[in-house]
Amino acid sequence: MRRRAVPLVAYHTADPEQTVDGAEKLAGMREPTEQQPEPGPAPILEWDCARGVRGRNKPGEQCAAQLGTEPALLTNPTEALMAFMRAEEESIIFFHNAQLWLDNPSVIQAIWNLRDSFKARRCSLVLLGPDITLPQELRNDVITIEEPAPTETDIDRVISKTAEDAKVALNGEKTKAIDTLLGYGSEFAVEQAFALSLNKKGVNLDKLWDLKVRDLRKAAGLEVSLPKENFNDLAGCEGFKEFMRMYLNGRKRPRCEFWLDEIEKMVGGTGDTSGVSQGLIEQFLNWTQERRVDGMLLIGVPGAGKSASCKTTAGEARIPLLRGSMSTVKGSLVGQSEGQFKAL
């Protein structure tokens, strides 16, 4: 985006510091010009409501000092955005927690005012936040990008370095630790959870799962448990148990089980004239298709063992059981239900 002179960017990230640090390494060089034939570091600045404007590097500190106001006093978002009109060419400005200010008309106007000026001078304003909803006035002017969660490769790199620094050998526990840590939103969260579970003998996988469960419970409409019961505790249902043992020991061993109980009542939507239930069903079907989720529909009379089968499957595989509900994510505000179900 920077190479193509994109002036306004909304960047969804769970770890702004990691994002700024990575962008500084990748995009922190000026383009060669006649006045400056040798490429040098571009001014990189940050803004937040507590510390005002700060230079991230030496050119950034010099640029901040030339904004016309003491940088540390620019804690008002509108005043800071207006001051950025005087930023040097090719400056990169990171605006923290932008989602908190995008209902303010003066902030919206100040961001829009930077568009053409920044494009002409190859500057970039990067709005940072965990989930940024752009107002209608900016949707056609701001490019949005979402930083993906850490992959298996990222997690492997983080935990290997942490274990090396602690002088702890992981032996055969690394693969299980990586499986457990998948799903955290940032490398910082991965590092903290892993460090808390590390001891002199290796990594405590039970502690790692416990921390993961606590993190997952933050999602609306999601219950998380680690069932102890397995197929030995389930009477009958021999056909189901035989099939699931083959599946659990197959090539696509699951990392978790997602359980939707009484699903026919969730997706019925017969009395819902708002279209919310239908919207949630659409999201769910798109998610299962895009993620290629393996699913099973259990049908039977009350007491046949449907719920018990779900619980004991998770216990047999020693994986977390995530119980979801479409009804608990519904909110009173327009768009709130869809947003909460997306998070779920």
Side-chain angles (χ1 to χ4, degrees):
M1 290 181 175
R2 176 160 175 76
R3 291 193 184 102
R4 286 153 181 78
V6 176
L8 304 176
V9 180
Y11 201 99
H12 296 202
T13 174
D15 190 345
E17 176 61 28
Q18 179 185 322
T19 301
V20 175
D21 184 57
E24 183 178 356
K25 295 174 182 175
L26 289 172
M29 300 296 287
R30 294 179 191 262
E31 294 291 327
T33 61
E34 292 183 4
Q35 294 80 9
Q36 187 180 359
E38 293 295 327
I44 298 180
L45 301 94
E46 290 181 288
W47 178 88
D48 64 58
C49 62
R51 297 175 295 186
V53 178
R54 300 186 306 136
R56 182 82 181 190
N57 57 5
K58 196 68 175 177
E61 293 174 0
Q62 296 170 355
C63 180
Q66 299 169 7
L67 294 179
T69 305
E70 176 63 31
L73 298 180
L74 286 171
T75 54
N76 181 284
T78 305
E79 293 177 2
L81 289 165
M82 293 171 61
F84 292 148
M85 292 287 285
R86 298 187 287 274
E88 292 183 23
E89 291 188 359
E90 300 195 46
S91 295
I92 309 174
I93 301 166
F94 293 96
F95 193 92
H96 288 277
N97 285 316
Q99 77 281 357
L100 301 177
W101 310 101
L102 289 176
D103 58 351
N104 186 325
S106 63
V107 171
I108 296 171
Q109 186 64 54
I111 292 173
W112 188 88
N113 290 347
L114 294 173
R115 186 192 68 176
D116 295 335
S117 172
F118 270 27
K119 181 174 177 59
R121 295 185 290 130
R122 296 182 61 83
C123 294
S124 299
L125 176 69
V126 184
L127 306 174
L128 297 173
D131 189 12
I132 300 173
T133 302
L134 293 169
Q136 186 66 42
E137 296 82 2
L138 294 175
R139 286 178 188 169
N140 295 323
D141 304 300
V142 180
I143 300 297
T144 302
I145 188 170
E146 186 169 348
E147 188 169 272
T151 62
E152 293 181 40
T153 304
D154 298 328
I155 295 171
D156 190 351
R157 171 174 47 80
V158 171
I159 67 174
S160 296
K161 185 178 185 308
T162 304
E164 182 182 347
D165 292 343
K167 296 181 173 58
V168 174
L170 294 179
N171 301 321
E173 300 170 325
K174 180 183 281 190
T175 301
K176 293 181 180 179
I178 292 173
D179 287 350
T180 307
L181 290 165
L182 280 169
Y184 279 105
S186 68
E187 291 184 13
F188 181 80
V190 168
E191 180 188 12
Q192 296 300 295
F194 183 73
L196 286 170
S197 307
L198 207 59
N199 54 46
K200 293 180 180 180
K201 297 179 181 179
V203 58
N204 185 336
L205 293 173
D206 291 334
K207 177 70 177 293
L208 204 60
W209 271 121
D210 184 51
L211 293 170
K212 179 70 172 289
V213 167
R214 293 182 195 179
D215 185 72
L216 288 170
R217 281 179 177 149
K218 298 173 186 175
L222 187 65
E223 298 176 12
V224 187
S225 61
L226 293 168
K228 302 298 182 184
E229 302 86 0
N230 56 32
F231 288 160
N232 293 330
D233 303 300
L234 179 63
C237 303
E238 297 301 328
F240 173 84
K241 291 192 287 188
E242 182 182 357
F243 177 85
M244 289 309 298
R245 281 194 177 105
M246 290 189 292
Y247 175 73
L248 295 176
N249 295 315
R251 290 177 297 175
K252 294 182 64 179
R253 178 177 172 81
R255 290 175 168 137
C256 71
E257 179 185 353
F258 183 50
W259 175 28
L260 287 171
D261 199 11
E262 307 287 354
I263 191 171
E264 81 283 358
K265 297 179 178 62
M266 296 186 198
V267 303
T270 53
D272 185 357
T273 58
S274 66
V276 171
S277 295
Q278 291 81 356
L280 301 187
I281 296 168
E282 178 192 9
Q283 280 195 37
F284 176 69
L285 294 176
N286 285 337
W287 174 74
T288 55
Q289 178 67 26
E290 289 176 3
R291 299 295 182 94
R292 302 186 67 83
V293 175
D294 288 340
M296 178 180 288
L297 189 64
L298 301 182
I299 303 172
V301 298
K306 301 184 296 296
S307 298
S309 297
C310 291
K311 295 176 182 177
T312 54
T313 296
E316 181 77 13
R318 297 195 66 187
I319 55 177
L321 177 64
L322 316 178
R323 185 176 182 275
S325 171
M326 293 184 183
S327 60
T328 56
V329 301
K330 292 184 177 180
S332 59
L333 303 177
V334 175
Q336 187 178 16
S337 303
E338 291 83 349
Q340 292 185 161
F341 192 65
K342 180 184 176 183
L344 168 63

